[in-house]
Amino acid sequence: MTATISLGADIEHSTSVVWKAFADVDQRVRWGVPDGEAMICDVDEFRPGGSIRARCGTPGALEFDSAGMYCAVEPERWLVTTETLTRNGQILSTAIITWTFTATASGTRVDLVDQVVSFVGQGMIDGHRNGHDICLRQLRDHLSA
């Protein structure tokens, strides 16, 4: 099952501030998972061709493993990543995700396109959409705090 998920958010901060919140893994693990969940980033080579590996989910359990690569990075403009999500060794989904950061009169427009393949049905597609929606909202809240 496949889907293309397109979401966006207007954030009232400069592109450099929004970009830093994304590029800085310590900030990203705070806003990058839904409230009540946790993420530990084991590898984050934030550069073109760099790897990213993280564990996320219920605090203490972190039942999901994410492995991917930064395919392309243009600071303060866009980045493209891959992500394969597994649980207990079973592949749940694979995605290519594009983030675009555009300066606006009031701050930054962040657009996200997630081209995802789910190996376990519609629930994983819905999970990608919901998770990204929450991340965009939490990014905005994180920067406004």
Side-chain angles (χ1 to χ4, degrees), residues 67-85:
M69 181 177 80
Y70 293 102
C71 302
V73 178
E74 182 66 35
E76 298 186 21
R77 295 188 59 216
W78 48 265
L79 65 105
V80 178
T81 65
T82 61
E83 176 191 69
T84 296
L85 192 63

Side-chain angles (χ1 to χ4, degrees), residues 63-117:
E63 59 268 34
F64 300 99
D65 293 304
S66 172
M69 181 177 80
Y70 293 102
C71 302
V73 178
E74 182 66 35
E76 298 186 21
R77 295 188 59 216
W78 48 265
L79 65 105
V80 178
T81 65
T82 61
E83 176 191 69
T84 296
L85 192 63
T86 61
R87 186 165 92 187
N88 298 324
Q90 177 188 7
I91 297 176
L92 303 174
S93 65
T94 296
I96 184 166
I97 305 165
T98 304
W99 295 79
T100 306
F101 303 83
T102 306
T104 66
S106 61
T108 304
R109 173 72 183 179
V110 179
D111 288 299
L112 175 147
V113 177
D114 179 354
Q115 297 167 296
V116 60
V117 178

Side-chain angles (χ1 to χ4, degrees), residues 5-69:
I5 299 164
S6 297
L7 299 169
D10 292 305
I11 299 175
E12 293 182 358
H13 292 276
S14 69
T15 304
S16 63
V17 169
V18 176
W19 178 262
K20 183 176 180 179
F22 193 96
D24 179 350
V25 69
D26 292 329
Q27 289 187 60
R28 194 175 342 122
V29 298
R30 289 196 300 267
W31 61 260
V33 294
D35 192 36
E37 294 188 13
M39 177 168 60
I40 294 175
C41 196
D42 298 308
V43 175
D44 188 61
E45 302 169 337
F46 194 75
R47 60 174 172 73
S51 296
I52 182 168
R53 284 197 314 268
R55 295 169 286 135
C56 59
T58 308
L62 301 176
E63 59 268 34
F64 300 99
D65 293 304
S66 172
M69 181 177 80

